[in-house]
Amino acid sequence: MLNWYRRLAGWLGSRRWGSWFVRVLYQPVDRVLYRMTGGRRGLAPASAVLLLTSTGRKSGIPRSNPLMYVEHDGSYWVMGSNFGQQHHPAWTSNLLADTTATVQVGNRTVAVEARLASDEERARLWPQLVRAYPAFDTYTGWTARSFRLFELRPR
């Protein structure tokens, strides 16, 4: 089941109208389902998504975002692609302002410390990130900005 879903997500996410759909309609529903079911269910496969909660840098209010991730060396790695839009997603700026956050992975909630990855780390992890979500590769052609990659290390 996961293979066809990943292919569909990659196909949908690699189209501009599809990335709009994911950003505006899909993510809010996914966030609610993920929370309500303790990470067991969401629109995306639970094994590929975590729920990041960071503090809004302007509001001070906790903000949650469902994000595709890869695990590497005991950390969670998340990419700030923002579906190929011209600006960075707000959650990345929130992590730059306050590096403490929590992630929900399945039914576990873990306190993490965020760190912006180096260009070398991003280049090394890029193949894993594209395997997790193929549309990342497409998004690079839609914007000139460099995507922020964060390591979320459990505290």
Side-chain angles (χ1 to χ4, degrees):
M1 180 173 130
L2 192 56
N3 286 336
W4 76 264
Y5 187 86
R6 285 193 179 178
R7 283 194 306 271
L8 175 62
W11 178 83
L12 185 63
S14 66
R15 276 125 181 97
R16 288 195 188 270
W17 64 267
S19 68
W20 175 88
F21 172 81
V22 170
R23 187 175 66 252
V24 174
L25 302 174
Y26 182 99
Q27 274 195 322
V29 172
D30 201 32
R31 181 176 21 248
V32 170
L33 284 174
Y34 200 88
R35 272 211 180 112
M36 286 176 49
T37 64
R40 289 185 314 276
R41 295 281 186 271
L43 297 175
S47 63
V49 175
L50 59 75
L51 193 61
L52 170 71
T53 302
S54 58
T55 303
R57 71 187 183 289
K58 294 179 183 175
S59 68
I61 297 171
R63 305 287 185 188
S64 296
N65 296 280
L67 302 171
M68 302 295 286
Y69 75 97
V70 296
E71 269 189 87
H72 183 74
D73 290 338
S75 293
Y76 306 102
W77 295 81
V78 292
M79 177 72 72
S81 70
N82 208 16
F83 304 98
Q85 293 184 76
Q86 297 305 313
H87 57 281
H88 294 288
W91 65 264
T92 66
S93 298
N94 293 346
L95 289 180
L96 291 173
D98 181 357
T99 60
T100 60
T102 60
V103 294
Q104 181 181 345
V105 181
N107 63 359
R108 292 180 332 136
T109 300
V110 179
V112 295
E113 187 74 27
R115 180 184 66 81
L116 185 63
S118 68
D119 290 341
E120 294 80 22
E121 288 171 315
R122 190 175 56 229
R124 189 177 68 238
L125 288 170
W126 185 253
Q128 283 182 270
L129 293 159
V130 171
R131 270 195 304 278
Y133 189 60
F136 283 148
D137 214 19
T138 303
Y139 297 158
T140 61
W142 293 357
T143 182
R145 73 177 171 83
S146 180
F147 299 154
R148 293 173 176 163
L149 174 65
F150 283 88
E151 176 186 20
L152 306 174
R153 181 163 296 283
R155 292 188 277 144

